[in-house]
Amino acid sequence: MTMNRQGRPTGVPEAATGGDTAAGPATFTGHKALERDEGLIFEIGSPAVTGVDLEDPGDFETALGGFERTEPMGLTGLSEPHVVRHYTRLSQKNYGIDTGLFPLGSCTMKHNPRLNEKIARLPGFADIHPMQPERTVQGALEVIDTLADWLCKLTNMAAIAMSPKAGAHGELCGMMAIRAALEHRGEQRRTVLVPESAHGTNPATAVFCGFQVKTLASTEDGRVDVAALKAQLGPDVAAIMLTNPNTCGLFEKDIQEIAAAVHEAGGYFYCDGANFNALIGKVRPGDLGIDAMHFNLHKTCSTPHGGGGPGSGPTVLSEALAPFAPVPWVEKAVGGGLRLKATVRDGNTAFGRMTAFHGQMGMFTRALAYLMSHGRDGLRLVAEDAVLNANYVAAGLDKAMTRTYKARPMHEVLFDDRFLKGTGVDTLGFAKALIDEGFHPMTMYFPLVASGAMLIEPTETESRRSLDEFVFAMTKLAEAAKAGETERFDQAPRFAPLKRLDETAAARKPVLRYEPPAPYAQAAE
Ligand SMILES: *Cc1c(COP(=O)(O)O)cnc(C)c1O
């Protein structure tokens, strides 16, 4: 098969099979049933084609002062039906939360309620601009303020920065507040403690902020080793970054003791709030001694993520860190109404700002709609059902697979590859075979504390029926692996439009510029 520079097969029929013998002979067209093979938009269009008829502008005087293009841009040209078909076909190749269960652990892929979408599309929210005069966007300011209030109450924290645009960005915000507080105290603490099971963004954030990371060991039962932690505390420790429930899905039951010890040593406690789905409405992190925590509105509050929308990572701060919260924030205006406090002046100790404007407005409207439509009792049920569903999956798979820790999980459950030992199948093959069975794979090889980790988070929006289907598929795959049916796994995914891609090469050497392929005749030689 000949590949072009983008790594796509050139020429038509061979592309259809990609070595897929399980599906029988190749089709003549390269398409498979009603699923059509789709080229890049550059490949199906041409710069010589246009989808609109514009009149020749005739002679005119340019205002570009000599900066006019001298050559065509080389943009591809297509008609409207071509464009519509291209993107519709691509969308049909995508697996999303609207297609089926999405068991990615840590990521909390839950249903995005359509009510939230409807609210976000109201013209008063969707058609405004961050530079509009404040008096014309009072409703939007009220939404930001009301959401901020809900998030502070749910966590029992003193202040919040609404502007961070993702979980990792919220971590950065929290660690910058910690750094500002330390500077204010005139202290130069440099160490941040991070458990070995932590999400990669935690150590990355600490290092990005100029701290040095020291790794905390876990105990046999998958939790932070409190004695080892206490041994590491000292005058150089700026903070600890901890997730609760941790990334093994287990509740850190010693969290109050950990908070007290860190505070006594003069450090701050950052909590990674990505797993707040297990606690919302049940536990207030402020009561546990936490100084800073980001929300992932795109996880806990069901706003779309991945291809479906941007993230949003509002970050709550304790009394100790509140004075250093970044601008902007919403406050009451002198003459009535609301205004944005947007400058670092007037004696405030804000450390600066995280973004040009105010954060992800479209996510704020969705998140507030989510919180309000659930209410206090509904949010509590969210956490309870998320934990119940994870335990249902754990119980369903305990016979077929090996669970890393015997303790009852919270909202996600961790398996490792011991059940695959001696079968010739590895975690990667197992996860890819799940694609053939109609499911997006679980999180693989994370957290690092488990060998060949498989982290599964069903979320509360899955029905018992869909959980049963998932457990059935996983059980059958485990049985097949143990029965020596390695071909199911070695070649998986057998039925996907594209097979195993070289993801490492794609990440390390991305091809970002389109190069037209050699003419077909040449490529075929
Ligand atoms: C998702 C996640 C993050 C990072 O959040 P983003 O919004 O993807 O930046 C951090 N920690 C944990 C535990 C997570 O699951």
Side-chain angles (χ1 to χ4, degrees):
M1 194 186 318
T2 323
M3 301 282 193
N4 69 14
R5 279 216 40 223
Q6 277 70 36
R8 292 178 51 78
T10 56
V12 182
E14 252 186 330
T17 62
D20 180 3
T21 46
T27 58
F28 299 109
T29 53
H31 308 309
K32 288 184 200 162
L34 299 183
E35 194 202 319
R36 297 180 62 104
D37 186 44
E38 190 66 12
L40 299 177
I41 198 161
F42 294 100
E43 293 166 347
I44 58 175
S46 152
V49 172
T50 173
V52 283
D53 279 332
L54 292 177
E55 277 181 40
D56 187 329
D59 285 340
F60 66 94
E61 211 171 300
T62 148
L64 292 175
F67 289 103
E68 304 83 358
R69 284 184 180 281
T70 51
E71 288 167 26
M73 284 169 84
L75 286 182
T76 191
L78 297 110
S79 66
E80 181 173 302
H82 281 123
V83 174
V84 169
R85 284 182 179 166
H86 174 69
Y87 287 109
T88 305
R89 284 176 194 153
L90 289 186
S91 75
Q92 288 169 340
K93 294 192 197 306
N94 202 9
Y95 187 92
I97 194 65
D98 291 346
T99 324
L101 184 140
F102 215 118
L104 270 186
S106 213
C107 292
T108 312
M109 303 293 291
K110 57 165 107 167
H111 172 64
N112 313 137
R114 292 310 186 261
L115 172 68
N116 307 354
E117 299 302 318
K118 196 171 168 186
I119 301 289
R121 282 166 180 70
L122 292 175
F125 296 131
D127 296 348
I128 54 177
H129 191 278
M131 293 181 85
Q132 252 174 261
E134 278 170 357
R135 68 184 156 72
T136 65
V137 289
Q138 286 292 309
L141 292 180
E142 195 177 334
V143 163
I144 299 178
D145 197 41
T146 309
L147 177 61
D149 188 53
W150 274 73
L151 298 179
C152 285
K153 288 208 171 98
L154 282 165
T155 50
N156 191 25
M157 298 285 265
I160 186 165
M162 295 297 287
S163 54
K165 296 196 173 183
H169 203 208
E171 290 174 34
L172 184 62
C173 175
M175 293 310 286
M176 286 174 79
I178 288 172
R179 196 174 61 186
L182 288 170
E183 276 168 14
H184 194 73
R185 275 158 49 178
E187 289 182 27
Q188 276 262 324
R189 293 169 177 249
R190 305 205 43 206
T191 304
V192 170
L193 304 176
V194 181
E196 56 184 343
S197 65
H199 194 270
T201 50
N202 295 183
T205 300
V207 169
F208 195 72
C209 268
F211 295 110
Q212 281 166 355
V213 171
K214 274 200 190 147
T215 307
L216 288 172
S218 310
T219 55
E220 289 267 287
D221 67 356
R223 298 190 172 89
V224 169
D225 186 331
V226 182
L229 160 70
K230 285 185 176 167
Q232 297 239 35
L233 289 173
D236 194 47
V237 172
I240 183 173
M241 294 182 86
L242 202 77
T243 312
N244 201 12
N246 66 24
T247 52
C248 304
L250 304 174
F251 191 78
E252 295 283 0
K253 52 188 175 1
D254 301 317
I255 189 160
Q256 283 173 298
E257 189 184 345
I258 293 172
V262 170
H263 287 152
E264 200 181 323
Y268 294 97
F269 188 165
Y270 188 90
C271 181
D272 179 331
N275 292 338
F276 197 56
N277 206 43
L279 305 180
I280 190 164
K282 306 276 291 182
V283 176
R284 300 186 305 175
D287 298 341
L288 303 176
I290 283 154
D291 291 299
M293 185 189 95
H294 70 262
F295 278 87
N296 301 66
L297 296 186
H298 45 292
K299 297 181 182 175
T300 311
C301 294
S302 82
T303 71
H305 57 136
S312 182
T315 302
V316 285
L317 301 168
S318 64
E319 292 280 358
L321 295 181
F324 308 99
V327 289
W329 60 79
V330 176
E331 59 184 21
K332 295 224 160 29
V334 181
L338 297 168
R339 66 181 288 264
L340 272 173
K341 175 77 185 168
T343 51
V344 189
R345 266 189 258 123
D346 315 337
N348 71 43
T349 45
F351 71 68
R353 61 160 61 236
M354 298 294 296
T355 62
F357 294 120
H358 327 315
Q360 307 282 35
M361 190 62 205
M363 297 301 127
F364 296 163
T365 43
R366 287 174 175 86
L368 186 59
Y370 178 81
L371 294 176
M372 287 183 142
S373 57
H374 279 76
R376 179 205 283 247
D377 53 339
L379 290 174
R380 185 172 287 212
L381 262 183
V382 163
E384 287 171 1
D385 288 349
V387 172
L388 181 65
N389 277 1
N391 277 276
Y392 188 80
V393 170
L397 291 177
D398 256 345
K399 265 209 210 95
M401 295 171 65
T402 40
R403 196 139 61 82
T404 308
Y405 301 110
K406 279 292 149 241
R408 204 170 264 222
M410 296 282 289
H411 64 304
E412 58 193 0
V413 51
L414 177 62
F415 294 91
D416 54 38
D417 60 5
R418 279 173 298 157
F419 75 100
L420 292 173
K421 209 162 177 206
T423 62
V425 175
D426 59 6
T427 291
L428 182 70
F430 195 81
K432 295 287 184 195
L434 195 56
I435 296 176
D436 282 339
E437 301 297 335
F439 292 98
H440 190 284
M442 69 302 271
T443 293
M444 295 180 280
Y445 299 105
F446 172 82
L448 305 177
V449 289
S451 161
M454 294 176 228
L455 184 64
I456 298 169
E457 179 178 2
T459 83
E460 73 285 358
T461 59
E462 291 306 324
S463 65
R464 180 163 174 187
R465 182 182 173 147
S466 75
L467 295 179
D468 284 339
E469 286 170 359
F470 177 69
V471 166
F472 173 80
M474 294 282 282
T475 303
K476 284 288 174 196
L477 285 175
E479 286 170 6
K482 289 172 195 168
E485 295 176 31
T486 46
E487 70 285 358
R488 273 180 191 277
F489 303 93
D490 294 343
Q491 295 181 25
R494 292 170 294 158
F495 305 112
L498 295 176
K499 314 296 171 199
R500 291 210 192 179
L501 305 175
D502 189 344
E503 286 155 8
T504 312
R508 298 268 155 82
K509 294 185 209 150
V511 180
L512 302 175
R513 176 182 285 271
Y514 175 71
E515 301 275 349
Y520 184 66
Q522 239 173 291
E525 280 169 16

